[in-house]
Amino acid sequence: MAQYHYDEAGNMAAYFLLTFLALVLVPTTLMSFRPPKKSLSGCQCQPCIEQRQRISSLKPTLKKKCGPSLSIHAVLSANTTYRTYFLVAGWILLGFVGYKVANAELENKIYDPFEILGLRVNTKGTAEKDIKSHYKKLSKLYHPDKVKATANMTIEAIQNRFVEITKAYKALTDETVRENLEKYGNPDGRIDVSMGIAIPKWIVEGKNNIWVLGFYGIIFGGALPALVGRWWFGSRQKTKDGINASSAAAFFKTLKEESSFEEVLGTFAKAFRWELSVQKAASSPELNDLEKQIEERADAKYHEVKKVCGDDAPRRKGLILLYAHLLRLDIQSSILRKEQRKILLQTPLLLNALLNIATSRNWLSPSLTVMRLHAYITQALLPGPRRMRFAQLPGIKLEEISTLAPKATDLREFEQALVEKHDIRILDVKTALAKWGRVEIVDAAFKVIGERIVTPSSIVFLVVKLRIPPPPSNSVQEKELDVDETKRRIKFNDEKDEEFLVSRKEAEGLPPDNFLPGWVHAPYWPGERKPSWWIVLGDEKSNRVVVPPMKVTDIPFAQPSHERDYRSYKIQFQAPQNVGVFTWKVRLVSDSFVNEDTSREITLKIEDASTLPNDEQSEDEISDPDEDSIAGQMAAMRGGAVKKKPVDEESDDESTTDDDEDDHTSSDSDSD
């Protein structure tokens, strides 16, 4: 019968703890020392550089905290994070447990009489007389009558050692003891199986029961249910978009198909009631002063937004801080600046949730408004005349636009006006325009895999080829190609288009040498931002979104030296059920630049398969099964069409057979 004993020495528990710590600490440490991701190159204009420096100052970096002269205390205070504390404590504990395991005495040590006697040879090579001779020597040295007890060696230890020597000697000389050793691995014969449990004995002792039960009650009866309940009820309050469920409900109820920009902004600001805590929504004198400045500059539009949003404390505070950003108002309070930064960094999440609600109803106008609101918040601008987009350029203020370039209609003309006036801001303007995100639609077409035309309810792909044209100052003159090179490039691009069409990817792969925009020009945005665009296929006449928009990024700059200086994207959808011609519009809407949308009309022609020539129809037809085949019989039972066997052929065959028989008979009679 097996006997169970607890780990009184703590060895097995130490092994368990050592394994657990190693499984946790090794991957965590390797992840901590992995090389950082390659950072993108951002806009190099002076305002953007200063903004990135302000963003970096908010992070607890070593350089900002310690300056040029570093001390050990400064290094530790700058780099010690929660993960660092965890790793240091974990490795110290791992080292301690490893030291304890390495120096622990093994309780289940294999019995080896040769080791006890100090013999280095096995049983086959050691004669019995040699064993007896060696035993006599040990008896003279370790006999209890000849060894005196000391502080380090008690009488019990001396006696136990001599007993072990005697038992080892008998195990090698006595036949019975030696048989027990060979059979059971122990000179005393068969012993009961001992099962060790990796729990220290003091945990199950009666005097500690109340403490152990109390600990289990706190962990499994209190902490674990509280943790699961917090996760459960917290997840119930959040939607799949990561916002509060009440915010999503307010978006759904308030957003209308005919909503204006102010109404969309007011709907968006409703979420501040649940996304901002009430404790942080208290009013302050500076907040009231900001609201007065907003009312003076935004006038009636602010009150229209406020009317839709509501006037409770969290919404009022969030709306004021948002408008202060859009109007580029300075905030003196560090607390308000911190809260404004938190609100701004949360706006992409809220706007994406609002966009999902608009597109789920197929509303084109509200969807475009929500998309453009991303860019307005990024560039800190309120909607207004088209010329206001010049205020996105570094150092340009709204009130200066009419005086600096009164006749400019686009960014290049505005840049030329600054050059003619020898404005000192022209260097930063040119630097910003070098990576400006105005996308060019190279081509847009509807395609069906393996088909030349689009039939009703077929699976259609909208394939859009995009690139960012370089600024005129960086443009390269495209070389003229001969006829053979032109044909080769056309064939190469056609093969790439076909390969991308049949692939599962929504975006074509990028060659490693393509030039990408990097971080966007956004001197007022409180973080690094990568430019993105939405591909929207819409019907302006019915104000409907035909296909849910697709957000794309990493659109390359045009490089004429490349065979393929653009990138393809595709959206899959089902064609309408009716035959006809549908005129829609493909839009590229930027989430980072104001009034930099690109659009192109596109026509989808749905044709009936019956209009195809007969030879093309026959290629796609599946012939009916023969009547006398198994497939034909099953089709006939279901009432389907089958191919009947021609009667003429059967009659011809029968007549031929009869003629053959007659010929054979006549030949027989002739022979007779």
Side-chain angles (χ1 to χ4, degrees), residues 181-219:
L181 178 65
E182 293 175 354
K183 285 185 177 181
Y184 307 110
N186 193 291
D188 296 330
R190 182 176 180 179
I191 59 175
D192 294 332
V193 178
S194 177
M195 298 290 184
I197 302 176
I199 299 177
K201 189 176 182 180
W202 59 268
I203 292 181
V204 293
E205 289 181 350
K207 61 181 180 179
N208 296 327
N209 283 350
I210 187 171
W211 300 106
V212 174
L213 291 176
F215 176 77
Y216 273 87
I218 292 173
I219 297 297

Side-chain angles (χ1 to χ4, degrees), residues 464-490:
V464 184
K465 300 176 181 179
L466 306 175
R467 65 185 177 192
I468 301 176
S473 57
N474 297 345
S475 60
V476 180
Q477 188 68 26
E478 190 171 356
K479 297 180 180 179
E480 293 185 2
L481 304 177
D482 55 19
V483 177
D484 294 337
E485 180 65 18
T486 302
K487 290 181 178 180
R488 191 191 66 81
R489 285 201 176 188
I490 292 174

